[in-house]
Amino acid sequence: MKRSKIIKRGILGFIIFCVIGCAGRSKKEENSLVAETYSISLERFDRDLPPFVSGTINDSLRFIKEYYDFLPIYCYGILDLPQNGPKDSIYNQTGLNEFLSHPAIKKLYEDTETAFQKTDDIEMSLSDAFSRYTQLFPGSYIPRVLTHVSGLNQSIITSDSLISISLDHYLGASYPGYQNVYYPYQLPAKERKRIAIDAIQVWLYTQFPQNDTDKTLLDKMVYEGSILYALQQIFPQKELKEILGYSDNDIAWCQKNEKAIWDRIIRQRHLFATDLLLKNKYLEPAPFTSPISSESPGRVGRWIGWRIISEYMKKEDCSLSQLLEQIDNGEQILKTSRYKGS
């Protein structure tokens, strides 16, 4: 089995064209940083698991040692298998057998293996993204990166030391198995090209969590906007629409109606609302953002948050790491940005 290797391949000098530096380094100082590049190799837990469960693997103890940190997460966090006693502290053999022998899971496994026989493109995207991540967040930790089949449970799983990607979530919007499971607006997120963006986004959420206690819609929008802004710097070759998961029409609608969106948020007195359901309507996946318009794309609150952060970063000599360390003060960030809907 292949263990993830994070290898320093050399020292390359290049300029990072982004707005960085707050209470630490200035923009000029960070623009001159020397970057280290990293090579990410996916650990194919999805391939290694079936022979372990069937008993055909040559070295079961090696498999358990290799995936000791991930096995309990997979069995009890992802598959929600019952944990019956001390023998089940690492994995549930019976539950894994039942999961892998289910006809629907067998089909999903086969289709995932066919679609992901080669993963060079994913490894390249992740290698480039984590190289930029370490440039933008000096001293940061690079996790192991695994792949698994979840039976369409969570798409990305993280812990303190690893990320695991549920490959069965990325078989393409037209995959027949998705048609009766997901709504049409959810299908564009099921494309292979989303994997690296989704993985890094979840890692950022893990490394820079927001304290959710009594957070306002403004706080949440600013937080989401900061994550989107960071993703832009980590994936400079990708357009904003790709990072947001928007179409050209979605972006055009937001740009055309930006002032109206902001005015509506203010007029409805939603900016400082703390109601969870209301915040979700602005920020969670949906066919449209219901407090705004049935013609709007979903998650418009994230786009407004990105606009606020974009204006803020034009006015502050602020590093990306420092930005994400002050994300609990949305009101101050809005005031400094002087954003008013355009």
Side-chain angles (χ1 to χ4, degrees):
M1 72 190 67
K2 181 168 62 175
R3 184 173 180 81
S4 175
K5 296 180 180 178
I6 303 169
I7 308 168
K8 296 182 180 179
R9 298 189 304 184
I11 305 296
L12 301 176
F14 65 89
I15 298 176
I16 298 293
F17 294 100
C18 59
V19 185
I20 43 183
C22 199
R25 296 182 176 91
S26 69
K27 295 175 188 177
K28 290 182 179 179
E29 288 173 326
E30 292 218 13
N31 279 343
S32 64
L33 283 177
V34 175
E36 295 174 335
T37 60
Y38 293 83
S39 177
I40 303 296
S41 295
L42 297 179
E43 298 184 51
R44 295 300 299 266
F45 176 85
D46 55 309
R47 285 180 176 167
D48 295 338
L49 180 64
F52 166 72
V53 173
S54 66
T56 59
I57 193 171
N58 292 329
D59 190 346
S60 294
L61 290 178
R62 181 183 176 187
F63 173 88
I64 292 173
K65 181 179 180 181
E66 188 82 4
Y67 295 115
Y68 188 87
D69 291 341
F70 184 62
L71 265 173
I73 296 173
Y74 185 72
C75 292
Y76 310 119
I78 298 173
L79 302 186
D80 196 26
L81 301 178
Q83 190 168 354
N84 300 317
K87 291 183 179 179
D88 288 337
S89 60
I90 302 302
Y91 66 94
N92 181 324
Q93 182 75 34
T94 301
L96 286 173
N97 265 310
E98 292 177 354
F99 174 72
L100 292 177
S101 61
H102 192 284
I105 298 302
K106 291 175 75 172
K107 172 63 174 170
L108 201 56
Y109 239 101
E110 291 170 2
D111 293 342
T112 299
E113 176 58 28
T114 298
F116 292 97
Q117 289 184 22
K118 294 184 178 180
T119 57
D120 294 356
D121 58 323
I122 300 168
E123 292 175 336
M124 185 177 298
S125 294
L126 288 170
S127 296
D128 183 63
F130 273 115
S131 295
R132 292 182 183 277
Y133 172 78
T134 58
Q135 170 79 0
L136 294 164
F137 301 98
S140 53
Y141 175 76
I142 303 299
R144 297 170 62 189
V145 185
L146 286 67
T147 60
H148 66 276
V149 170
S150 69
L152 304 183
N153 281 321
Q154 301 98 318
S155 56
I156 307 288
I157 293 293
T158 64
S159 72
D160 290 341
S161 60
L162 63 83
I163 295 174
S164 192
I165 300 159
S166 181
L167 293 178
D168 50 317
H169 270 273
Y170 298 98
L171 296 174
S174 62
Y175 177 64
Y178 293 160
Q179 305 312 307
N180 295 322
V181 177
Y182 298 108
Y183 293 109
Y185 74 86
Q186 295 174 305
L187 293 176
K190 301 301 174 184
E191 296 289 349
R192 183 188 188 105
K193 64 184 180 181
R194 289 290 316 174
I195 290 177
I197 295 173
D198 287 354
I200 299 296
Q201 178 171 273
V202 173
W203 187 246
L204 287 171
Y205 285 141
T206 302
Q207 299 304 300
F208 299 95
Q210 185 180 48
N211 178 7
D212 285 335
T213 305
D214 297 326
K215 290 303 173 203
T216 65
L217 174 62
L218 173 60
D219 293 328
K220 298 298 289 183
M221 290 195 302
V222 164
Y223 176 62
E224 291 292 335
S226 299
I227 296 295
L228 291 170
Y229 188 90
L231 287 170
Q232 275 192 298
Q233 318 313 312
I234 295 170
F235 295 97
Q237 75 280 15
K238 294 189 180 296
E239 296 182 53
L240 177 63
K241 67 177 183 179
E242 294 180 83
I243 293 172
L244 280 164
Y246 274 7
S247 66
D248 287 331
N249 288 339
D250 292 334
I251 290 289
W253 192 94
C254 289
Q255 292 172 338
K256 179 180 178 181
N257 294 281
E258 181 176 1
K259 190 67 168 66
I261 295 169
W262 184 249
D263 289 346
R264 190 166 181 81
I265 293 172
I266 300 300
R267 188 167 63 252
Q268 295 182 122
R269 298 183 179 181
H270 287 171
L271 194 61
F272 298 105
T274 57
D275 179 72
L276 179 60
L277 180 59
L278 178 65
K279 289 185 287 186
N280 287 344
K281 288 179 179 179
Y282 278 97
L283 300 167
E284 293 300 311
F288 56 89
T289 306
S290 58
I292 300 300
S293 168
S294 60
E295 297 178 354
S296 66
R299 313 184 83 179
V300 160
R302 298 178 84 228
W303 186 79
I304 290 293
W306 170 80
R307 286 290 297 116
I308 293 170
I309 292 300
S310 296
E311 293 303 312
Y312 175 82
M313 294 297 274
K314 290 176 183 178
K315 298 174 176 63
E316 288 291 301
D317 187 22
C318 186
S319 74
L320 206 51
S321 59
Q322 290 294 329
L323 170 67
L324 288 173
E325 288 168 2
Q326 58 168 340
I327 46 179
D328 284 329
N329 197 348
E331 189 171 0
Q332 182 58 50
I333 288 176
L334 175 63
K335 181 179 180 180
T336 302
S337 75
R338 299 197 289 275
Y339 178 78
K340 294 183 180 179
S342 61

